[in-house]
Structure formats: C-alpha cells, structure tokens
Amino acid sequence: MILEPGHWVGRGSYRAIDQTIGIQFEATIEVQENEQGLTAEIRAETNGKIALDGIFLIVPDEYGTYSLTFRYDSFNLEGTAKLESVPHLAILWSDEADTYVTFSVFTLPDSHGVRGFVRHKGDLSTWELALQPRHQVVTGENAVSFDRRRRFNR
C-alpha cells in the first residue's frame, strides 16, 4: 500500500462535472495502523473552513482486497478496494444507494495522486488531490542548520 502510516498533507480541487472551474482545498490525512488494518482521519478545508472531516477504516479481507468504511457526519459509505498494486482502486456506496464514490491512488514523481468521482443524489462531481508526507520540523539544542546565514548558539 503506498499511503503508509503517518501524516500526509496535500492540495486539490473538486468541481461539478458540468463546471469548468474547480474549488481549491487543502487536506491533511493521519494514517494509523491498528489490529484490524488502517485508520485514516481526513480533514479538508476550503478558504479556512472545514469542508470535510471524516474517517476511513481500511481492513484486509480474505479475498486479497480491502473492505472500506467511510464515516462523515451522519452518513456512512461502505465499499471495497484493491490496494496491493498501483494504481489503487476503490468504490464506495451508501445503504440508500444515492451516493457513490470511486477513486484511484497512484504515484507521482514527488508525491502521490488521488483522483475520483462522487455521485450524490444525481449530482456528479470530480476531484483530485496531490499528497506528500508531512515532514516533522526538528528544533532544539541538537538541531543542525545547513544554512550558512543561520547559526545556533552553543
């Protein structure tokens, strides 16, 4: 699986399929491993306001695929995914059969890409996201700077 446990950050856009200009968003994803599989907490913001705050549960099954559950607000989506080879492919649906989500995750030269479609009550949208691991900033007495202009007091 290419999205390993850790902190991920990214930028993306989504748009209705009949529109030409997308709405930009920023996303953070926290992937954690547990006894059953993986948990991914996802938050997306548009113009500083939370647009999506949900959780993915990713559990391997006995058939070589993965069971997915996405919980967001008051609804759940269930589905399946192929995550052992690239591109990863997934499909999710609601119990009411009024919401469907498909997406793929693939590698890019310096990041990972995610592209997908959402159909909710007849409205169709597409979205894309570029993700990178969030690097931790190390500070303190043992920090080393390779910038000549910045010196640490010893």
Side-chain angles (χ1 to χ4, degrees):
M1 188 176 316
I2 59 176
L3 285 181
E4 299 172 349
H7 306 283
W8 296 84
V9 294
R11 293 180 189 264
S13 67
Y14 67 92
R15 66 178 177 82
I17 205 73
D18 61 349
Q19 301 292 313
T20 57
I21 298 176
I23 298 171
Q24 304 296 313
F25 67 89
E26 294 182 3
T28 58
I29 301 175
E30 172 77 28
V31 180
Q32 297 177 353
E33 195 166 7
N34 56 46
E35 308 83 48
Q36 290 84 27
L38 295 175
T39 301
E41 296 179 27
I42 300 170
R43 175 174 277 186
E45 296 181 1
T46 301
N47 298 324
K49 295 184 180 178
I50 296 174
L52 176 75
D53 193 2
I55 188 166
F56 257 110
L57 305 173
I58 305 165
V59 179
D61 62 24
E62 64 271 17
Y63 306 108
T65 58
Y66 289 77
S67 294
L68 300 178
T69 300
F70 181 65
R71 295 182 184 148
Y72 169 67
D73 278 344
S74 62
F75 70 88
N76 292 329
L77 300 175
E78 300 288 331
T80 189
K82 180 196 73 66
L83 304 175
E84 293 301 324
S85 61
V86 177
H88 296 344
L89 300 171
I91 184 168
L92 296 110
W93 54 88
S94 65
D95 284 341
E96 298 80 20
D98 63 354
T99 304
Y100 296 91
V101 177
T102 63
F103 64 90
S104 63
V105 182
F106 48 92
T107 56
L108 295 171
D110 295 326
S111 61
H112 296 315
V114 184
R115 285 197 178 125
F117 291 94
V118 175
R119 182 175 179 172
H120 179 64
K121 296 185 179 181
D123 295 328
L124 184 61
S125 298
T126 183
W127 54 277
E128 55 188 21
L129 173 64
L131 285 173
Q132 294 182 319
R134 179 173 46 190
H135 299 289
Q136 304 247 336
V137 177
V138 179
T139 61
E141 209 172 289
N142 295 326
V144 176
S145 174
F146 293 104
D147 184 350
R148 287 188 209 164
R149 296 171 294 180
R150 186 172 175 191
R151 301 280 183 228
F152 290 97
N153 294 333
R154 297 251 174 203

